[in-house]
Amino acid sequence: MLLSNKVCVITGAASRRGIGRATARLFALHGGRAIILDLDPAQAAEAAAELGEAHRGLACDVTDRDACFAAAGRIVEEFGRIDVLVNNAGITQPLKLMDIGPKNYEAVTDVSLRGTLYMSQAVVPHMRERKSGSIVCISSVSAQRGGGIFGGPHYSAAKAGVLGLAKAMARELGPDNVRVNSVTPGLIQTDITGDKLTAELRTEILKGIPLNRLGDADDVARSCLFLASELSSYITGATLDVNGGMLI
Ligand code: NAD
């Protein structure tokens, strides 16, 4: 079991078809205790209940620093430790440059960037104390290519910020044996992308994906498992592309 008894916190993990939920499910399969954080307490609890008694679902808005610290405190109190954090919560808006207003900018950057910072700050003291931990940050191919179909320039900026933040955290936390890595998913079929793809658009997109299929949440979950577990014990500050070859 790759994550035997490891306490694994995953943000934005209640969405039924989402990357976070698939990651929580896979972590549980590998012996981890999944702590599902999301906006709606009932949805988070339901997602955790589906996995079994060893798991928990808690409400936590990652843009709220106090809420992040309160959630981490509660988890440490109940479980005694936090071994893994997956910063997965994120929202997108398909806007063009000139349509991005201050509220759009704030909403998108707040969840991905502020959320990754605050939630990491909340778990790092516990990881440092135990000289062990793995943080996985979910960025996006949009950060690398500049834009995408579902994300505007502010989304690309937020996700590029996540890559820089993750590398800086990896450098600072390395001496305490806390690893920090990023995953850059390509086009993954979840509620964010949903059923918004027309057949024509899908055909067009597939021309740019050597593996000739869209990704699914489990593709990303498996990369999170690798980075969360000791399989990646000498890897920190890295970015793992999970995009079917989109950037070749
Ligand atoms: P999703 O919408 O299914 O899941 C996102 C989850 O985040 C939802 O459960 C939502 O409630 C939660 N959330 C939103 N704001 C939050 C907040 N303030 N605090 C806590 N939780 C919050 O989307 P997904 O496709 O599974 O996306 C997961 C991550 O992967 C996101 O960061 C997204 O940007 C990234 N990503 C997705 C794709 C894709 O193609 N689906 C591609 C690249 C990157």
Side-chain angles (χ1 to χ4, degrees):
M1 296 277 236
L2 289 170
L3 295 175
S4 244
N5 290 320
K6 299 257 189 212
V7 177
C8 306
V9 179
I10 306 129
T11 69
S15 161
R16 190 153 281 285
R17 290 201 293 174
I19 289 168
R21 180 93 168 241
T23 301
R25 225 179 273 128
L26 189 64
F27 282 9
L29 263 178
H30 283 268
R33 306 191 77 171
I35 317 296
I36 289 174
L37 303 184
D38 213 305
L39 293 171
D40 183 275
Q43 270 181 20
E46 184 208 304
E50 188 188 272
L51 302 177
E53 276 179 12
H55 313 280
R56 286 290 172 284
L58 300 176
C60 178
D61 177 345
V62 295
T63 67
D64 178 344
R65 194 172 188 268
D66 291 342
C68 293
F69 276 78
R74 212 176 133 183
I75 294 160
V76 171
E77 203 178 292
E78 185 174 351
F79 295 94
R81 54 201 274 177
I82 296 175
D83 300 286
V84 172
L85 166 66
V86 181
N87 284 308
N88 167 75
I91 60 167
T92 187
Q93 295 167 345
L95 297 177
K96 297 282 185 204
L97 180 67
M98 295 311 293
D99 298 327
I100 300 168
K103 286 217 157 58
N104 303 118
Y105 179 82
E106 273 161 31
V108 168
T109 53
D110 267 6
V111 183
S112 276
L113 203 43
R114 212 186 272 269
T116 297
L117 174 67
Y118 291 164
M119 202 58 226
S120 302
Q121 286 179 326
V123 305
V124 157
H126 309 289
M127 292 181 169
R128 268 189 160 148
E129 204 178 295
R130 298 185 51 250
K131 294 266 177 283
S132 167
S134 174
I135 299 177
V136 181
C137 300
I138 307 296
S139 174
S140 169
V141 72
S142 302
Q144 301 160 305
R145 302 180 10 138
I149 298 150
F150 299 104
H154 55 333
Y155 178 74
S156 295
K159 291 302 192 181
V162 167
L163 294 181
L165 176 59
K167 281 180 196 282
M169 291 197 292
R171 193 180 284 279
E172 189 174 327
L173 302 176
D176 289 318
N177 194 34
V178 176
R179 299 184 296 108
V180 188
N181 292 288
S182 301
V183 175
T184 42
L187 198 53
I188 311 297
Q189 293 182 92
T190 66
D191 282 345
I192 274 190
T193 48
D195 308 311
K196 296 164 199 139
L197 284 182
T198 60
E200 296 78 40
L201 187 55
R202 194 188 166 89
T203 308
E204 200 47 42
I205 290 168
L206 288 181
K207 283 183 195 159
I209 303 178
L211 286 182
N212 200 35
R213 66 172 176 88
L214 301 182
D216 60 43
D218 289 330
D219 290 316
V220 185
R222 282 190 289 275
S223 67
C224 292
L225 176 65
F226 169 68
L227 292 173
S229 75
E230 286 303 301
L231 285 179
S232 58
S233 56
Y234 200 51
I235 299 179
T236 197
T239 303
L240 191 51
D241 294 350
V242 183
N243 60 26
M246 247 185 194
L247 293 181
I248 296 170

Short mmCIF file of all heavy atoms in Angstrom, two decimals, residues 10-22 37-40 43 58-64 68 87-92 107 110-112 115-116 137-142 150 155 159 162 183-194 215 217 220 242, ligand 1:
data_model
loop_
_atom_site.label_atom_id
_atom_site.label_comp_id
_atom_site.label_asym_id
_atom_site.label_seq_id
_atom_site.Cartn_x
_atom_site.Cartn_y
_atom_site.Cartn_z
N ILE A 10 -7.08 16.83 0.58
CA ILE A 10 -7.26 17.18 -0.83
C ILE A 10 -8.30 18.30 -0.90
O ILE A 10 -9.44 18.12 -0.45
CB ILE A 10 -7.74 15.95 -1.65
CG1 ILE A 10 -6.77 14.79 -1.45
CG2 ILE A 10 -7.83 16.28 -3.14
CD1 ILE A 10 -7.44 13.52 -1.05
N THR A 11 -7.92 19.45 -1.44
CA THR A 11 -8.87 20.56 -1.52
C THR A 11 -9.71 20.44 -2.80
O THR A 11 -9.27 19.87 -3.80
CB THR A 11 -8.14 21.93 -1.52
OG1 THR A 11 -7.43 22.09 -2.76
CG2 THR A 11 -7.17 22.06 -0.36
N GLY A 12 -10.92 20.96 -2.73
CA GLY A 12 -11.82 20.94 -3.90
C GLY A 12 -12.10 19.52 -4.37
O GLY A 12 -12.12 19.25 -5.57
N ALA A 13 -12.35 18.62 -3.41
CA ALA A 13 -12.44 17.19 -3.76
C ALA A 13 -13.84 16.62 -3.68
O ALA A 13 -14.00 15.40 -3.70
CB ALA A 13 -11.49 16.39 -2.86
N ALA A 14 -14.85 17.50 -3.60
CA ALA A 14 -16.22 16.96 -3.47
C ALA A 14 -16.92 16.77 -4.82
O ALA A 14 -17.84 15.97 -4.93
CB ALA A 14 -17.05 17.87 -2.58
N SER A 15 -16.47 17.51 -5.83
CA SER A 15 -17.13 17.46 -7.13
C SER A 15 -17.09 16.04 -7.70
O SER A 15 -16.03 15.43 -7.81
CB SER A 15 -16.41 18.45 -8.05
OG SER A 15 -16.68 18.18 -9.38
N ARG A 16 -18.28 15.54 -8.05
CA ARG A 16 -18.43 14.11 -8.38
C ARG A 16 -17.49 13.60 -9.47
O ARG A 16 -16.92 12.53 -9.36
CB ARG A 16 -19.90 13.85 -8.77
CG ARG A 16 -20.27 12.41 -8.91
CD ARG A 16 -21.73 12.18 -8.65
NE ARG A 16 -22.05 12.15 -7.24
CZ ARG A 16 -21.78 11.13 -6.43
NH1 ARG A 16 -21.15 10.07 -6.89
NH2 ARG A 16 -22.10 11.16 -5.16
N ARG A 17 -17.35 14.39 -10.53
CA ARG A 17 -16.50 13.94 -11.65
C ARG A 17 -15.11 14.54 -11.60
O ARG A 17 -14.34 14.43 -12.56
CB ARG A 17 -17.15 14.36 -12.97
CG ARG A 17 -18.42 13.60 -13.30
CD ARG A 17 -18.71 13.67 -14.77
NE ARG A 17 -19.04 15.04 -15.21
CZ ARG A 17 -19.21 15.38 -16.47
NH1 ARG A 17 -19.05 14.48 -17.43
NH2 ARG A 17 -19.52 16.61 -16.80
N GLY A 18 -14.79 15.23 -10.50
CA GLY A 18 -13.58 16.04 -10.47
C GLY A 18 -12.28 15.28 -10.22
O GLY A 18 -12.27 14.12 -9.79
N ILE A 19 -11.20 15.98 -10.48
CA ILE A 19 -9.85 15.45 -10.29
C ILE A 19 -9.59 15.19 -8.79
O ILE A 19 -9.01 14.17 -8.41
CB ILE A 19 -8.82 16.46 -10.86
CG1 ILE A 19 -8.90 16.48 -12.38
CG2 ILE A 19 -7.41 16.14 -10.37
CD1 ILE A 19 -8.15 17.63 -13.05
N GLY A 20 -10.06 16.11 -7.95
CA GLY A 20 -9.85 15.96 -6.51
C GLY A 20 -10.54 14.72 -5.96
O GLY A 20 -9.97 13.97 -5.17
N ARG A 21 -11.77 14.52 -6.40
CA ARG A 21 -12.54 13.36 -5.91
C ARG A 21 -11.89 12.05 -6.35
O ARG A 21 -11.77 11.10 -5.58
CB ARG A 21 -13.97 13.47 -6.45
CG ARG A 21 -14.93 12.38 -6.04
CD ARG A 21 -15.71 12.76 -4.80
NE ARG A 21 -16.81 11.88 -4.53
CZ ARG A 21 -18.10 12.25 -4.48
NH1 ARG A 21 -18.43 13.50 -4.71
NH2 ARG A 21 -19.04 11.40 -4.19
N ALA A 22 -11.44 12.01 -7.62
CA ALA A 22 -10.77 10.81 -8.13
C ALA A 22 -9.47 10.56 -7.36
O ALA A 22 -9.11 9.41 -7.08
CB ALA A 22 -10.47 10.97 -9.63
N LEU A 37 -11.71 18.43 1.44
CA LEU A 37 -12.12 19.81 1.76
C LEU A 37 -12.85 20.39 0.54
O LEU A 37 -12.40 20.22 -0.59
CB LEU A 37 -10.90 20.68 2.08
CG LEU A 37 -9.99 20.23 3.21
CD1 LEU A 37 -8.90 21.27 3.46
CD2 LEU A 37 -10.76 19.98 4.50
N ASP A 38 -13.96 21.07 0.81
CA ASP A 38 -14.67 21.74 -0.29
C ASP A 38 -15.59 22.79 0.31
O ASP A 38 -15.68 22.90 1.53
CB ASP A 38 -15.43 20.74 -1.17
CG ASP A 38 -15.48 21.17 -2.63
OD1 ASP A 38 -15.93 22.29 -2.91
OD2 ASP A 38 -15.04 20.39 -3.50
N LEU A 39 -16.25 23.55 -0.55
CA LEU A 39 -17.06 24.66 -0.07
C LEU A 39 -18.30 24.21 0.70
O LEU A 39 -18.62 24.76 1.74
CB LEU A 39 -17.50 25.52 -1.27
CG LEU A 39 -16.39 26.26 -2.01
CD1 LEU A 39 -16.93 26.90 -3.29
CD2 LEU A 39 -15.78 27.34 -1.10
N ASP A 40 -18.97 23.20 0.20
CA ASP A 40 -20.23 22.77 0.78
C ASP A 40 -20.00 21.63 1.77
O ASP A 40 -19.50 20.56 1.38
CB ASP A 40 -21.17 22.32 -0.35
CG ASP A 40 -22.53 21.94 0.17
OD1 ASP A 40 -22.71 20.78 0.60
OD2 ASP A 40 -23.41 22.82 0.18
N GLN A 43 -21.73 18.22 0.85
CA GLN A 43 -21.10 17.53 -0.30
C GLN A 43 -19.76 16.91 0.11
O GLN A 43 -19.42 15.80 -0.30
CB GLN A 43 -20.86 18.52 -1.42
CG GLN A 43 -22.02 18.61 -2.39
CD GLN A 43 -21.70 19.59 -3.52
OE1 GLN A 43 -20.54 19.90 -3.79
NE2 GLN A 43 -22.73 20.08 -4.17
N LEU A 58 -14.73 17.97 5.15
CA LEU A 58 -14.89 19.21 5.92
C LEU A 58 -15.12 20.38 4.99
O LEU A 58 -14.56 20.41 3.88
CB LEU A 58 -13.62 19.51 6.73
CG LEU A 58 -13.15 18.50 7.77
CD1 LEU A 58 -11.82 18.97 8.36
CD2 LEU A 58 -14.19 18.37 8.87
N ALA A 59 -15.88 21.37 5.46
CA ALA A 59 -16.04 22.59 4.68
C ALA A 59 -14.80 23.45 4.85
O ALA A 59 -14.31 23.62 5.96
CB ALA A 59 -17.27 23.36 5.17
N CYS A 60 -14.26 23.93 3.76
CA CYS A 60 -13.13 24.86 3.83
C CYS A 60 -13.04 25.64 2.53
O CYS A 60 -12.82 25.06 1.46
CB CYS A 60 -11.82 24.10 4.10
SG CYS A 60 -10.39 25.18 4.14
N ASP A 61 -13.22 26.94 2.64
CA ASP A 61 -13.01 27.83 1.49
C ASP A 61 -11.53 28.19 1.50
O ASP A 61 -11.07 28.90 2.41
CB ASP A 61 -13.89 29.07 1.66
CG ASP A 61 -13.69 30.08 0.54
OD1 ASP A 61 -12.69 29.97 -0.21
OD2 ASP A 61 -14.53 30.99 0.43
N VAL A 62 -10.79 27.72 0.51
CA VAL A 62 -9.33 27.89 0.54
C VAL A 62 -8.88 29.35 0.36
O VAL A 62 -7.72 29.67 0.56
CB VAL A 62 -8.61 26.99 -0.49
CG1 VAL A 62 -8.79 25.53 -0.16
CG2 VAL A 62 -9.06 27.30 -1.92
N THR A 63 -9.82 30.24 -0.02
CA THR A 63 -9.44 31.65 -0.14
C THR A 63 -9.48 32.35 1.23
O THR A 63 -9.12 33.51 1.34
CB THR A 63 -10.38 32.41 -1.11
OG1 THR A 63 -11.69 32.47 -0.53
CG2 THR A 63 -10.45 31.75 -2.46
N ASP A 64 -9.96 31.63 2.22
CA ASP A 64 -10.09 32.17 3.58
C ASP A 64 -8.96 31.57 4.45
O ASP A 64 -9.01 30.40 4.81
CB ASP A 64 -11.49 31.78 4.11
CG ASP A 64 -11.72 32.24 5.53
OD1 ASP A 64 -10.75 32.58 6.24
OD2 ASP A 64 -12.90 32.25 5.94
N CYS A 68 -8.54 27.85 6.42
CA CYS A 68 -7.51 26.85 6.10
C CYS A 68 -6.79 26.41 7.38
O CYS A 68 -6.59 25.21 7.61
CB CYS A 68 -6.49 27.42 5.12
SG CYS A 68 -7.17 27.72 3.48
N ASN A 87 -3.22 20.52 -3.42
CA ASN A 87 -3.88 21.81 -3.67
C ASN A 87 -4.58 21.72 -5.02
O ASN A 87 -3.99 22.02 -6.06
CB ASN A 87 -2.84 22.93 -3.69
CG ASN A 87 -2.36 23.30 -2.31
OD1 ASN A 87 -3.16 23.58 -1.41
ND2 ASN A 87 -1.05 23.30 -2.12
N ASN A 88 -5.84 21.30 -4.97
CA ASN A 88 -6.56 21.01 -6.22
C ASN A 88 -7.67 22.02 -6.52
O ASN A 88 -8.01 22.21 -7.70
CB ASN A 88 -7.15 19.59 -6.12
CG ASN A 88 -8.16 19.31 -7.20
OD1 ASN A 88 -7.78 19.09 -8.36
ND2 ASN A 88 -9.44 19.33 -6.87
N ALA A 89 -8.21 22.67 -5.50
CA ALA A 89 -9.36 23.57 -5.73
C ALA A 89 -9.02 24.61 -6.80
O ALA A 89 -7.93 25.18 -6.79
CB ALA A 89 -9.75 24.27 -4.43
N GLY A 90 -9.93 24.82 -7.70
CA GLY A 90 -9.69 25.80 -8.76
C GLY A 90 -10.97 26.10 -9.51
O GLY A 90 -11.88 25.27 -9.54
N ILE A 91 -11.06 27.30 -10.04
CA ILE A 91 -12.19 27.65 -10.92
C ILE A 91 -11.63 28.30 -12.19
O ILE A 91 -10.50 28.78 -12.19
CB ILE A 91 -13.20 28.62 -10.25
CG1 ILE A 91 -12.53 29.94 -9.86
CG2 ILE A 91 -13.87 27.97 -9.05
CD1 ILE A 91 -13.52 31.04 -9.50
N THR A 92 -12.44 28.27 -13.21
CA THR A 92 -11.98 28.88 -14.47
C THR A 92 -13.10 29.74 -15.06
O THR A 92 -14.27 29.60 -14.69
CB THR A 92 -11.54 27.79 -15.46
OG1 THR A 92 -10.96 28.43 -16.59
CG2 THR A 92 -12.69 26.92 -15.92
N ALA A 107 -11.56 36.47 -8.51
CA ALA A 107 -12.18 35.16 -8.27
C ALA A 107 -11.26 34.03 -8.70
O ALA A 107 -11.04 33.07 -7.95
CB ALA A 107 -13.52 35.08 -9.01
N ASP A 110 -7.78 34.10 -6.79
CA ASP A 110 -7.96 33.81 -5.36
C ASP A 110 -7.99 32.31 -5.09
O ASP A 110 -7.31 31.84 -4.18
CB ASP A 110 -9.27 34.43 -4.85
CG ASP A 110 -9.04 35.82 -4.28
OD1 ASP A 110 -7.90 36.33 -4.38
OD2 ASP A 110 -9.99 36.39 -3.73
N VAL A 111 -8.78 31.57 -5.85
CA VAL A 111 -8.94 30.14 -5.53
C VAL A 111 -7.63 29.40 -5.81
O VAL A 111 -7.11 28.68 -4.94
CB VAL A 111 -10.12 29.49 -6.30
CG1 VAL A 111 -10.27 28.03 -5.88
CG2 VAL A 111 -11.42 30.25 -6.05
N SER A 112 -7.07 29.58 -7.01
CA SER A 112 -5.89 28.79 -7.36
C SER A 112 -4.64 29.23 -6.61
O SER A 112 -3.90 28.40 -6.08
CB SER A 112 -5.61 28.89 -8.87
OG SER A 112 -6.40 27.94 -9.55
N GLY A 115 -5.42 30.30 -2.59
CA GLY A 115 -5.79 29.04 -1.95
C GLY A 115 -4.60 28.11 -1.77
O GLY A 115 -4.44 27.48 -0.72
N THR A 116 -3.76 28.02 -2.79
CA THR A 116 -2.57 27.15 -2.70
C THR A 116 -1.62 27.68 -1.63
O THR A 116 -1.07 26.90 -0.84
CB THR A 116 -1.86 27.10 -4.08
OG1 THR A 116 -2.76 26.49 -5.01
CG2 THR A 116 -0.59 26.27 -4.03
N CYS A 137 0.66 20.41 -6.14
CA CYS A 137 -0.13 21.57 -6.58
C CYS A 137 -0.65 21.33 -7.99
O CYS A 137 0.12 21.03 -8.90
CB CYS A 137 0.75 22.83 -6.56
SG CYS A 137 1.42 23.18 -4.92
N ILE A 138 -1.95 21.49 -8.15
CA ILE A 138 -2.53 21.27 -9.48
C ILE A 138 -2.52 22.59 -10.25
O ILE A 138 -3.24 23.54 -9.91
CB ILE A 138 -3.98 20.72 -9.39
CG1 ILE A 138 -4.04 19.46 -8.52
CG2 ILE A 138 -4.50 20.44 -10.80
CD1 ILE A 138 -3.27 18.26 -9.03
N SER A 139 -1.67 22.64 -11.27
CA SER A 139 -1.61 23.80 -12.16
C SER A 139 -2.40 23.45 -13.42
O SER A 139 -3.47 22.82 -13.33
CB SER A 139 -0.14 24.12 -12.46
OG SER A 139 -0.03 25.13 -13.42
N SER A 140 -1.91 23.79 -14.58
CA SER A 140 -2.63 23.48 -15.82
C SER A 140 -1.72 23.68 -17.03
O SER A 140 -0.80 24.51 -16.99
CB SER A 140 -3.83 24.42 -15.97
OG SER A 140 -4.38 24.32 -17.26
N VAL A 141 -2.01 22.96 -18.09
CA VAL A 141 -1.31 23.17 -19.35
C VAL A 141 -1.51 24.62 -19.82
O VAL A 141 -0.69 25.17 -20.55
CB VAL A 141 -1.78 22.15 -20.42
CG1 VAL A 141 -3.20 22.46 -20.89
CG2 VAL A 141 -0.84 22.11 -21.62
N SER A 142 -2.61 25.25 -19.38
CA SER A 142 -2.86 26.66 -19.74
C SER A 142 -1.75 27.58 -19.27
O SER A 142 -1.51 28.62 -19.89
CB SER A 142 -4.17 27.16 -19.11
OG SER A 142 -5.23 26.38 -19.52
N PHE A 150 -11.02 26.54 -22.12
CA PHE A 150 -11.94 26.87 -21.04
C PHE A 150 -11.40 27.91 -20.07
O PHE A 150 -12.12 28.37 -19.21
CB PHE A 150 -12.31 25.59 -20.29
CG PHE A 150 -13.00 24.60 -21.17
CD1 PHE A 150 -12.34 23.49 -21.65
CD2 PHE A 150 -14.31 24.82 -21.56
CE1 PHE A 150 -12.98 22.59 -22.49
CE2 PHE A 150 -14.95 23.93 -22.41
CZ PHE A 150 -14.29 22.81 -22.87
N TYR A 155 -6.73 32.93 -15.87
CA TYR A 155 -6.57 31.53 -15.41
C TYR A 155 -5.14 31.06 -15.69
O TYR A 155 -4.50 30.46 -14.84
CB TYR A 155 -7.60 30.65 -16.13
CG TYR A 155 -7.54 29.18 -15.79
CD1 TYR A 155 -8.00 28.69 -14.57
CD2 TYR A 155 -7.02 28.25 -16.70
CE1 TYR A 155 -7.94 27.33 -14.26
CE2 TYR A 155 -6.97 26.89 -16.40
CZ TYR A 155 -7.43 26.44 -15.19
OH TYR A 155 -7.38 25.09 -14.89
N LYS A 159 -2.47 29.94 -12.83
CA LYS A 159 -1.86 28.61 -12.83
C LYS A 159 -0.35 28.68 -13.03
O LYS A 159 0.39 27.82 -12.55
CB LYS A 159 -2.52 27.74 -13.91
CG LYS A 159 -3.96 27.36 -13.59
CD LYS A 159 -4.06 26.62 -12.27
CE LYS A 159 -5.41 25.98 -12.04
NZ LYS A 159 -5.49 25.28 -10.75
N VAL A 162 0.99 29.39 -9.70
CA VAL A 162 1.05 28.17 -8.88
C VAL A 162 2.39 27.44 -9.11
O VAL A 162 3.02 26.96 -8.16
CB VAL A 162 -0.14 27.23 -9.20
CG1 VAL A 162 0.05 25.84 -8.60
CG2 VAL A 162 -1.45 27.85 -8.70
N VAL A 183 1.47 19.36 -10.86
CA VAL A 183 0.93 18.57 -11.96
C VAL A 183 0.26 19.56 -12.92
O VAL A 183 -0.47 20.46 -12.48
CB VAL A 183 -0.10 17.54 -11.46
CG1 VAL A 183 -0.76 16.81 -12.62
CG2 VAL A 183 0.55 16.54 -10.50
N THR A 184 0.53 19.42 -14.21
CA THR A 184 -0.10 20.29 -15.20
C THR A 184 -1.00 19.44 -16.11
O THR A 184 -0.54 18.91 -17.14
CB THR A 184 0.96 21.01 -16.05
OG1 THR A 184 2.00 20.07 -16.37
CG2 THR A 184 1.57 22.17 -15.32
N PRO A 185 -2.27 19.30 -15.73
CA PRO A 185 -3.18 18.51 -16.57
C PRO A 185 -3.48 19.23 -17.88
O PRO A 185 -3.51 20.46 -17.94
CB PRO A 185 -4.46 18.41 -15.72
CG PRO A 185 -4.07 18.83 -14.33
CD PRO A 185 -2.93 19.78 -14.51
N GLY A 186 -3.71 18.43 -18.91
CA GLY A 186 -4.19 18.97 -20.19
C GLY A 186 -5.70 19.06 -20.14
O GLY A 186 -6.27 19.51 -19.14
N LEU A 187 -6.36 18.63 -21.17
CA LEU A 187 -7.82 18.71 -21.20
C LEU A 187 -8.42 17.44 -20.58
O LEU A 187 -8.33 16.35 -21.15
CB LEU A 187 -8.30 18.89 -22.64
CG LEU A 187 -9.72 19.40 -22.78
CD1 LEU A 187 -9.94 20.67 -21.97
CD2 LEU A 187 -10.03 19.69 -24.24
N ILE A 188 -8.99 17.60 -19.40
CA ILE A 188 -9.50 16.48 -18.62
C ILE A 188 -11.02 16.59 -18.55
O ILE A 188 -11.56 17.67 -18.29
CB ILE A 188 -8.92 16.51 -17.17
CG1 ILE A 188 -7.39 16.71 -17.18
CG2 ILE A 188 -9.32 15.26 -16.41
CD1 ILE A 188 -6.58 15.62 -17.84
N GLN A 189 -11.71 15.49 -18.75
CA GLN A 189 -13.18 15.54 -18.73
C GLN A 189 -13.72 15.56 -17.31
O GLN A 189 -13.73 14.53 -16.63
CB GLN A 189 -13.74 14.34 -19.49
CG GLN A 189 -13.42 14.40 -20.96
CD GLN A 189 -14.01 13.24 -21.72
OE1 GLN A 189 -15.11 13.31 -22.25
NE2 GLN A 189 -13.25 12.17 -21.76
N THR A 190 -14.12 16.74 -16.83
CA THR A 190 -14.69 16.92 -15.48
C THR A 190 -15.81 17.95 -15.60
O THR A 190 -16.16 18.35 -16.71
CB THR A 190 -13.63 17.47 -14.50
OG1 THR A 190 -13.29 18.80 -14.92
CG2 THR A 190 -12.36 16.63 -14.45
N ASP A 191 -16.31 18.42 -14.44
CA ASP A 191 -17.38 19.45 -14.50
C ASP A 191 -16.88 20.75 -15.11
O ASP A 191 -17.66 21.51 -15.68
CB ASP A 191 -17.93 19.72 -13.09
CG ASP A 191 -18.87 18.62 -12.66
OD1 ASP A 191 -19.30 17.84 -13.53
OD2 ASP A 191 -19.17 18.53 -11.47
N ILE A 192 -15.56 21.03 -14.98
CA ILE A 192 -15.02 22.27 -15.55
C ILE A 192 -15.14 22.25 -17.07
O ILE A 192 -15.54 23.22 -17.70
CB ILE A 192 -13.53 22.46 -15.12
CG1 ILE A 192 -13.48 23.16 -13.75
CG2 ILE A 192 -12.76 23.29 -16.14
CD1 ILE A 192 -12.10 23.63 -13.33
N THR A 193 -14.80 21.12 -17.66
CA THR A 193 -14.89 21.00 -19.12
C THR A 193 -16.27 20.45 -19.51
O THR A 193 -16.83 20.81 -20.54
CB THR A 193 -13.80 20.06 -19.65
OG1 THR A 193 -13.79 18.87 -18.87
CG2 THR A 193 -12.45 20.70 -19.58
N GLY A 194 -16.76 19.59 -18.64
CA GLY A 194 -18.14 19.08 -18.73
C GLY A 194 -18.54 18.56 -20.08
O GLY A 194 -17.78 17.90 -20.77
N GLY A 215 -8.13 13.51 -21.47
CA GLY A 215 -7.76 12.84 -20.23
C GLY A 215 -8.97 12.60 -19.36
O GLY A 215 -10.02 13.23 -19.55
N ALA A 217 -10.17 12.04 -15.05
CA ALA A 217 -9.71 12.45 -13.71
C ALA A 217 -8.73 11.42 -13.13
O ALA A 217 -7.78 11.80 -12.43
CB ALA A 217 -10.91 12.64 -12.80
N VAL A 220 -5.04 11.97 -13.91
CA VAL A 220 -4.38 12.97 -13.06
C VAL A 220 -4.19 12.41 -11.65
O VAL A 220 -3.14 12.61 -11.02
CB VAL A 220 -5.19 14.29 -13.03
CG1 VAL A 220 -4.44 15.36 -12.25
CG2 VAL A 220 -5.48 14.78 -14.45
N VAL A 242 0.57 16.06 -17.55
CA VAL A 242 -0.37 14.95 -17.75
C VAL A 242 -1.36 15.42 -18.81
O VAL A 242 -2.47 15.86 -18.52
CB VAL A 242 -1.08 14.59 -16.41
CG1 VAL A 242 -1.99 13.39 -16.58
CG2 VAL A 242 -0.05 14.32 -15.32
P1 NAD B 1 -14.19 20.65 -10.67
O1 NAD B 1 -15.01 21.88 -10.89
O2 NAD B 1 -14.80 19.33 -10.92
O3 NAD B 1 -13.60 20.68 -9.20
C1 NAD B 1 -13.17 21.84 -8.58
C2 NAD B 1 -13.59 21.77 -7.12
O4 NAD B 1 -13.05 22.92 -6.42
C3 NAD B 1 -15.12 21.82 -6.92
O5 NAD B 1 -15.50 20.73 -6.10
C4 NAD B 1 -15.36 23.16 -6.24
O6 NAD B 1 -16.45 23.16 -5.35
C5 NAD B 1 -14.04 23.35 -5.50
N1 NAD B 1 -13.79 24.74 -5.14
C6 NAD B 1 -14.00 25.86 -5.90
N2 NAD B 1 -13.68 26.95 -5.18
C7 NAD B 1 -13.25 26.52 -3.96
C8 NAD B 1 -12.80 27.17 -2.78
N3 NAD B 1 -12.71 28.51 -2.73
N4 NAD B 1 -12.43 26.43 -1.72
C9 NAD B 1 -12.53 25.08 -1.77
N5 NAD B 1 -12.96 24.39 -2.85
C10 NAD B 1 -13.32 25.12 -3.93
O7 NAD B 1 -12.89 20.85 -11.57
P2 NAD B 1 -11.69 19.89 -12.00
O8 NAD B 1 -11.67 19.87 -13.46
O9 NAD B 1 -11.71 18.62 -11.24
O10 NAD B 1 -10.46 20.81 -11.54
C11 NAD B 1 -9.60 20.47 -10.48
C12 NAD B 1 -8.33 21.26 -10.64
O11 NAD B 1 -7.66 20.88 -11.86
C13 NAD B 1 -8.54 22.77 -10.74
O12 NAD B 1 -7.52 23.45 -10.06
C14 NAD B 1 -8.45 23.03 -12.24
O13 NAD B 1 -8.07 24.35 -12.53
C15 NAD B 1 -7.38 22.02 -12.63
N6 NAD B 1 -7.34 21.66 -14.04
C16 NAD B 1 -8.42 21.09 -14.64
C17 NAD B 1 -8.35 20.75 -16.00
C18 NAD B 1 -9.51 20.11 -16.74
O14 NAD B 1 -9.41 19.98 -17.96
N7 NAD B 1 -10.57 19.70 -16.06
C19 NAD B 1 -7.19 20.99 -16.71
C20 NAD B 1 -6.10 21.57 -16.06
C21 NAD B 1 -6.19 21.89 -14.72
#
